[in-house]
């Protein structure tokens, strides 16, 4: 085992029965990981233990990369009224609640989150805190989503109108230091008066957002439900699409063949909204529950066409969407045609690439961050193993014992 590392720090050796590296479709037996500080220095078979290393034997556990949720809202508290509760919190209280949500995500094996809509750029403060606080996951932050006046999530403060207004909004986010730009190409469900099936921005406004964001080196992901909003966002050159539901005023239409092919050709990352934790007295809204078969059918068609799909959970927007809901979403990916190996890849290696962290997240390999989830069982055969958490390491630090909360 090569124990060289570009970084110095405390040495930890992890032993387990199996390892999923984020790439291979099979498990590796009897792995040994050497962690130097917060980085994986070596992955190999049993061998000599470096002098002074702490040895942690996780027995029959399977090691895999920490999970990555590409669509969360840490500012929403997963209550029955997340919008109203956020409105009642000042900045300090909101930030404290967001930190608690982020810590719950990490304890549940989600070691990286991409926040796609906050208030007052609070996720940037939390992102800074995570640099030294390893109880927090790594945070990729978009800041307040860009929306139209009175449009979807306007209460988060990101309204803009016209090409010049959208351009200025993107520039403001770049100056603030966001990691990406989120734009509401269509209406949504959390805003009274907003209609998910209708576009909010013109194709020219969407294109202006993409051009300005790319000028600053920032990717753009678009919230898009209706067919026209999806088509306009694809034509504008966005890097990601969230939801991609093809909703209509009365339900869900089959995704148009030409649009499905265009999405697959483009390589745009699709954050398919999945994941629901069983909660007594709570569930999907009736209209969404009725639409689920059609939504899943569209997602299956996109997968068959070769689209890049990850599970973006929308964590925080409802009681069934707690901060660690990603484990349930991964278990739902086979329902749109992914194998268990593909589902794990989508929540680790592919999700890291979608978040712009492919060089340091999503794999158990030398040089990658030591974000590690240890579970009992074989997740390639049974994705429910993700709920049997033995240990979580966030950038080399082991979190306290996991306790499931409801």
């Amino acid at each position: 085992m090569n124990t060289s590392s570009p970084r110095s720090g405390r040495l930890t050796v992890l032993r387990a029965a199996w390892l999923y590296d984020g790439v291979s479709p099979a498990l590796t037996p009897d792995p040994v990981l050497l962690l130097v500080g917060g980085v994986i220095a070596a992955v190999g078979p049993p061998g000599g233990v470096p002098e002074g290393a702490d040895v942690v034997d996780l027995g029959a556990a399977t090691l895999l990369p920490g999970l990555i949720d590409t669509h969360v809202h840490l500012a929403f508290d997963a209550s029955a009224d997340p919008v109203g509760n956020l409105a009642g919190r000042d900045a300090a209280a909101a930030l404290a609640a967001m930190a608690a949500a982020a810590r719950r995500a990490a304890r549940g094996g989600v070691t990286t989150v991409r926040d796609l809509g906050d208030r007052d750029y609070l996720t940037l403060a939390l992102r800074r805190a995570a640099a030294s606080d390893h109880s927090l996951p790594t945070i990729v932050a978009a800041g307040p989503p860009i929306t139209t006046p009175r449009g979807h999530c306007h209460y988060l403060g990101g309204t803009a109108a016209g090409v010049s207004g959208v351009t200025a909004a993107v520039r403001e986010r770049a100056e603030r230091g966001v990691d990406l730009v989120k734009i509401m190409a269509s209406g949504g469900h959390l805003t009274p008066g907003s209609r998910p099936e209708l576009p909010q921005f013109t194709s020219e406004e969407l294109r202006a957002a993409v051009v300005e964001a790319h000028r600053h080196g920032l990717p753009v992901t678009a919230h898009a439900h209706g067919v026209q909003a999806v088509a306009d966002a694809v034509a504008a050159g966005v890097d990601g699409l969230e939801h991609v539901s093809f909703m209509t005023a009365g339900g869900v239409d089959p995704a148009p063949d030409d649009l499905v092919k265009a999405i697959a050709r483009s390589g745009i990352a699709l954050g398919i909204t999945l994941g629901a934790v069983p909660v007594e007295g709570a569930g999907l809204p009736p209209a969404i529950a009725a639409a689920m078969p059609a939504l899943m059918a569209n997602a299956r068609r996109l997968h068959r066409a070769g689209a890049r799909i990850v599970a973006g959970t929308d964590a925080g927007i409802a009681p069934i969407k707690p901060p660690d809901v990603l484990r349930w979403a991964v278990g739902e990916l086979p329902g749109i045609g992914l194998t268990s190996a593909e589902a794990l890849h989508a929540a680790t290696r592919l999700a890291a690439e979608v978040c712009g962290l492919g060089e340091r997240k999503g794999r158990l390999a030398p040089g990658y961050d030591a974000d590690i989830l240890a579970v009992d069982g074989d997740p390639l055969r049974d994705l429910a193993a993700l709920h049997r958490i033995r240990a979580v390491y966030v950038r080399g630090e082991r979190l306290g014992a996991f306790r499931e909360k409801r």
Side-chain angles (χ1 to χ4, degrees), residues 263-343:
I263 290 170
R265 285 196 305 268
S266 71
I268 292 171
L270 306 185
I272 302 298
T273 311
L274 296 171
V277 175
V279 176
E280 185 176 355
L284 291 170
I288 301 297
M292 280 306 296
L295 292 170
M296 297 293 277
N298 279 334
R300 281 192 292 272
R301 291 182 59 213
L302 287 162
H303 171 62
R304 286 198 301 269
R308 298 173 71 218
I309 290 177
V310 293
T313 66
D314 235 355
I317 67 165
I320 61 173
K321 297 279 190 180
D324 58 347
V325 66
L326 182 58
R327 301 197 309 279
W328 284 264
V330 176
E332 293 173 10
L333 282 169
I336 64 171
L338 279 71
T339 66
S340 293
E342 289 170 337

Side-chain angles (χ1 to χ4, degrees), residues 343-356:
L344 288 175
H345 178 77
T348 55
R349 176 62 177 165
L350 180 56
E353 293 173 357
V354 168
C355 290

Side-chain angles (χ1 to χ4, degrees), residues 45-128:
V49 175
E51 184 177 351
D54 296 326
V55 180
V56 179
D57 191 336
L58 293 168
T62 299
L63 306 179
L64 63 151
L67 304 180
I68 300 171
D69 195 333
T70 62
H71 189 153
V72 308
H73 294 281
L74 294 173
F76 292 148
D77 63 2
S79 68
D81 186 15
V83 176
N85 288 343
L86 176 60
R89 297 187 180 105
D90 63 15
L95 188 59
M98 292 166 66
R103 291 190 175 99
R104 177 171 173 184
R107 290 195 305 271
V110 184
T111 57
T112 299
V113 299
R114 187 173 69 161
D115 191 289
L116 293 185
D118 71 1
R119 190 188 73 191
D120 301 328
Y121 296 93
L122 290 174
T123 47
L124 300 186
L126 204 59
R127 184 184 66 185
R128 289 191 295 272

Side-chain angles (χ1 to χ4, degrees), residues 82-359:
V83 176
N85 288 343
L86 176 60
R89 297 187 180 105
D90 63 15
L95 188 59
M98 292 166 66
R103 291 190 175 99
R104 177 171 173 184
R107 290 195 305 271
V110 184
T111 57
T112 299
V113 299
R114 187 173 69 161
D115 191 289
L116 293 185
D118 71 1
R119 190 188 73 191
D120 301 328
Y121 296 93
L122 290 174
T123 47
L124 300 186
L126 204 59
R127 184 184 66 185
R128 289 191 295 272
S132 57
D133 183 348
H134 287 202
S135 70
L136 294 168
T138 297
I139 295 169
V140 178
I146 299 174
T147 191
T148 53
R150 306 304 301 173
H152 182 42
C153 289
H154 64 85
Y155 40 77
L156 295 177
T159 60
V163 167
S164 61
V166 168
T167 300
V170 172
R171 189 178 306 120
E172 175 189 324
R173 282 152 182 74
E175 291 169 352
R176 291 272 194 157
V178 301
D179 299 300
L180 78 157
V181 171
K182 165 82 172 295
I183 189 164
M184 301 298 201
S186 77
H189 296 95
L190 274 185
T191 308
S194 176
R195 294 179 58 180
E197 77 276 12
L198 296 181
Q200 292 199 148
F201 289 103
T202 66
S203 56
E204 291 79 13
E205 288 166 335
L206 290 175
R207 181 59 185 161
V210 171
V211 169
E212 184 67 10
H214 287 180
R215 189 173 75 83
H216 291 281
L218 296 173
V220 177
T221 195
H223 161 110
H225 282 295
V227 172
Q228 191 61 53
V230 173
D232 287 347
V234 172
V238 298
D239 305 281
L241 288 168
E242 307 304 315
H243 311 303
V244 208
S245 61
F246 303 100
M247 282 188 170
T248 66
V252 174
D253 273 349
D257 287 339
D258 58 344
L259 190 49
V260 168
K261 291 175 183 176
I263 290 170
R265 285 196 305 268
S266 71
I268 292 171
L270 306 185
I272 302 298
T273 311
L274 296 171
V277 175
V279 176
E280 185 176 355
L284 291 170
I288 301 297
M292 280 306 296
L295 292 170
M296 297 293 277
N298 279 334
R300 281 192 292 272
R301 291 182 59 213
L302 287 162
H303 171 62
R304 286 198 301 269
R308 298 173 71 218
I309 290 177
V310 293
T313 66
D314 235 355
I317 67 165
I320 61 173
K321 297 279 190 180
D324 58 347
V325 66
L326 182 58
R327 301 197 309 279
W328 284 264
V330 176
E332 293 173 10
L333 282 169
I336 64 171
L338 279 71
T339 66
S340 293
E342 289 170 337
L344 288 175
H345 178 77
T348 55
R349 176 62 177 165
L350 180 56
E353 293 173 357
V354 168
C355 290
L357 300 173
E359 294 184 354

